[in-house]
């Protein structure tokens, strides 16, 4: 019984060590985080510039787990313009779980694009309607994983 209690307490501590802005349901895009300090108030945001409109959406459910797996999971929004995006890691200066003016981008561009297409082959050959991951000519249309993010510099 003591072992079960210890295990339950350890699970609670482990979950509280995650930075949460809602628990992702769909886990649309996942990857590893490399070079980020665990003691920062990190958030994820989807950013893009499409048809003259800048989008910075940091309101989606996300998990940043620097202690257990070193990775993240993010639900992608359905209410942004069709186009190309990338995920950034930012320091949430005011702890509002949104990417705002004054928040510092901490990740470098990984060269991969998240593409929201209205129809097949809209932006790149091989893309399907919905979310796609485009990287150097190859397209992932179902499992958008390996979207690894590296820190810009020592944090």
């Amino acid at each position: 019984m003591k072992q079960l209690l210890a295990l339950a307490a350890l699970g609670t501590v482990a979950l509280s060590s995650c930075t949460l802005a809602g628990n992702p349901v769909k886990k649309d895009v996942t990857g590893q985080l490399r070079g980020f300090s665990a003691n920062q108030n990190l958030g994820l945001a989807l950013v893009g510039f499409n048809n003259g409109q800048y989008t910075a959406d940091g309101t989606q459910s996300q998990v940043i787990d620097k202690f257990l797996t070193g990775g993240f999971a993010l639900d992608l929004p359905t209410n942004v313009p069709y186009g190309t995006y990338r995920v950034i890691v930012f320091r949430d200066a005011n702890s509002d779980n949104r990417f705002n003016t004054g928040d510092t981008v901490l990740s470098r561009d990984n060269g991969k694009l998240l593409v929201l297409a209205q129809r097949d082959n809209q932006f790149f050959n091989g893309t399907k309607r919905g979310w796609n991951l485009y990287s150097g000519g190859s397209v992932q249309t179902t499992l958008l994983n390996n979207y690894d993010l590296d820190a810009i510099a020592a944090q």
Side-chain angles (χ1 to χ4, degrees):
M1 183 64 153
K2 287 182 181 179
Q3 288 177 335
L4 285 175
L5 288 173
L7 188 58
L10 207 93
T12 302
V13 169
L15 285 176
S16 67
S17 68
C18 299
T19 300
L20 298 175
N23 199 1
V25 176
K26 301 176 289 180
K27 297 176 182 72
D28 293 319
V29 62
T30 61
Q32 295 299 305
L33 300 172
R34 295 185 291 248
F36 298 94
S37 176
N39 60 353
Q40 297 184 67
N41 193 15
L42 300 178
L44 297 171
L46 184 74
V47 296
F49 188 77
N50 300 295
N51 295 325
Q53 180 178 352
Y54 176 73
T55 302
D57 188 323
T59 63
Q60 296 303 306
S61 297
Q62 58 185 281
V63 172
I64 297 177
D65 179 359
K66 284 295 297 163
F67 295 102
L68 299 177
T69 66
F72 72 90
L74 176 68
D75 288 345
L76 294 172
T78 56
N79 61 345
V80 294
Y82 294 105
T84 58
Y85 296 88
R86 68 184 186 103
V87 175
I88 60 165
V89 177
F90 66 96
R91 182 178 297 116
D92 192 0
N94 63 0
S95 300
D96 68 349
N97 295 321
R98 295 179 184 272
F99 181 56
N100 301 307
T101 303
D103 291 337
T104 305
V105 176
L106 300 173
S107 58
R108 68 178 82 171
D109 186 347
N110 65 3
K112 297 179 180 181
L113 294 173
L114 292 168
V115 180
L116 180 58
Q118 189 172 15
R119 60 186 178 282
D120 292 357
N121 301 312
Q122 182 176 8
F123 297 103
F124 302 102
N125 280 338
T127 57
K128 302 288 183 196
R129 183 175 187 259
W131 284 104
N132 302 261
L133 177 61
Y134 179 82
S135 177
S138 67
V139 177
Q140 286 175 252
T141 59
T142 53
L143 186 58
L144 309 182
N145 61 1
N146 297 323
Y147 194 92
D148 301 336
L149 296 168
D150 293 310
I152 291 174
Q155 305 296 317

